Amino acid sequence: MSNTPDTPARERPLSPFTSIYRWPVTMATSITHRITGVGMALGLILVAWLVIALANGPGAYETFTDAAQSPLGRLVLFGFAWAVSFHLFNGIRHLAWDMGFGFKLPTASATGIGVYVLSILGAIGLFVLAYCKAGLL
């Protein structure tokens, strides 16, 4: 069907994601769970570096602590702590789902938001605990 002067061309609609669609909380938590899983796998490189530094003596350990105490190091460590915390709390949520609890949409959304809030508080709490143990707070 071609457009003739008698029939005006119709504009094609925009993709729904640009004006209509928004991510449900459950989708966001699912994607974040996968990303934090990858982040934890990468974070194990830090754990391996720590263990190797401890085994190689004070000089190697000092190199690790200097890197970890830099602003970038603290940001990476906080990201790792958040990833572990998110994965833990979302894993508990999935265990509840495996037992048949929390499938109703309002409950699933509320627990998803709760996972985000608890994971951030958990990561902050871990850092506060570490700073208190180190005598920095």
Side-chain angles (χ1 to χ4, degrees), residues 50-74:
L50 172 62
V51 170
I52 292 167
L54 285 169
N56 285 330
Y61 181 69
E62 186 176 341
T63 302
F64 175 82
T65 56
D66 288 344
Q69 290 176 355
S70 72
L72 179 61
R74 290 179 186 196

Side-chain angles (χ1 to χ4, degrees), residues 31-49 76-92 119 126:
I31 292 169
T32 306
H33 190 79
R34 294 162 199 261
I35 292 170
T36 56
V38 172
M40 287 189 328
L42 294 174
L44 286 177
I45 295 170
L46 295 175
V47 174
W49 183 15
V76 168
L77 287 174
F78 185 81
F80 181 61
W82 176 74
V84 170
S85 183
F86 184 90
H87 218 75
L88 170 72
F89 289 119
N90 203 42
I92 293 169
S119 66
L126 188 61

Side-chain angles (χ1 to χ4, degrees), residues 10-20:
R10 291 189 318 177
E11 289 188 34
R12 294 182 56 97
L14 294 175
S15 295
F17 76 89
T18 59
S19 61
I20 298 169

